[in-house]
Amino acid sequence: MNPQLPHHYREILLGLGENPEREGLLDTPQRAAKAMQYLCRGYAQSLEEIVNGALFASDNDEMVIVKDVELYSLCEHHLLPFIGKAHVAYIPTGKVLGLSKVARIVDMYARRLQIQESLTRQIAEAIQEVTCAAGVAVVIEAQHMCMMMRGVEKQNSTMDTSVMLGAFRKSYNTRHEFLKLIGRSK
């Protein structure tokens, strides 16, 4: 861990008017630093490390969908969490990706300071890069604590973002099938 992080958290406590020497806060700077490093662990990971060769030959050329992959990220504007789920689909062209790798790719990018729009694109482009798929689709729906806990304080608001690449972008029918299968279209 960066040895300066606990010091900075102590300074934040002081800046808030708290006493970092009181019993309940004595270890808070160290714990907060460890927590932040864990929440941002995606910076220490790479796509190659995550995939780790888990591409398998397949003659399947039909849509593969991984739905409801929960994600936890931090808004880069306020350092507050946004929490939601990703739906990821791709159309293989000779190779399929190990199932857990889709979730790991979502996690790697979510565990960085982010905006949801960028997160959605990063996941789609990573799946495309790894699989050379005929198309990739990613939809993320999330609740943002910066909307719920501060500012406008809207408790029931969600944000949806999507990125469609290749066949999902070019073909209405392919896109519609994906959206229907994830429950986003009738």
Side-chain angles (χ1 to χ4, degrees):
M1 175 188 339
N2 179 333
Q4 292 182 333
L5 283 177
H7 167 75
H8 294 305
Y9 275 104
R10 186 177 192 288
E11 292 299 311
I12 289 170
L13 291 172
L14 286 168
L16 293 171
E18 263 294 354
N19 174 9
E21 300 303 319
R22 74 175 172 86
E23 182 181 5
L25 293 177
L26 275 175
D27 296 326
T28 297
Q30 185 72 24
R31 285 191 301 261
K34 284 175 75 174
M36 186 58 82
Q37 202 142 37
Y38 180 82
L39 294 173
C40 293
R41 69 185 184 273
Y43 290 117
Q45 298 174 313
S46 71
L47 189 56
E48 296 75 26
E49 171 188 61
I50 293 293
V51 173
N52 195 26
L55 281 167
F56 307 101
S58 174
D59 59 0
N60 178 39
D61 62 357
E62 298 293 329
M63 192 180 305
V64 175
I65 302 175
V66 183
K67 290 179 15 175
D68 298 324
V69 178
E70 60 275 344
L71 63 87
Y72 309 92
S73 193
L74 292 173
C75 161
E76 67 185 32
H77 300 140
H78 303 101
L79 300 183
L80 291 173
F82 63 94
I83 301 164
K85 55 187 171 180
H87 310 289
V88 179
Y90 68 99
I91 300 172
T93 56
K95 295 179 193 169
V96 292
L97 182 59
L99 177 61
S100 71
K101 302 308 182 183
V102 173
R104 291 179 193 279
I105 289 169
V106 170
D107 281 348
M108 179 182 73
Y109 289 108
R111 295 304 188 152
R112 298 174 182 186
L113 302 179
Q114 281 287 7
I115 60 172
Q116 184 175 327
E117 299 90 337
S118 297
L119 174 60
T120 309
R121 178 153 300 280
Q122 289 167 352
I123 294 166
E125 289 175 350
I127 298 291
Q128 178 65 48
E129 178 184 331
V130 168
T131 64
C132 298
V136 175
V138 177
V139 169
I140 294 178
E141 50 191 270
Q143 291 186 292
H144 292 250
M145 295 304 121
C146 57
M147 280 275 290
M148 298 170 73
M149 294 175 66
R150 56 160 298 283
V152 295
E153 296 184 15
K154 298 301 176 202
Q155 303 308 305
N156 298 308
S157 63
T158 60
M159 180 177 182
D160 291 0
T161 51
S162 70
V163 170
M164 307 288 167
L165 303 176
F168 290 95
R169 187 172 191 87
K170 294 175 189 164
S171 169
Y172 169 81
N173 290 336
T174 304
R175 184 172 50 257
H176 181 73
E177 178 185 353
F178 166 66
L179 293 172
K180 186 175 179 186
L181 288 169
I182 66 168
R184 306 301 268 167
S185 178
K186 296 180 191 243

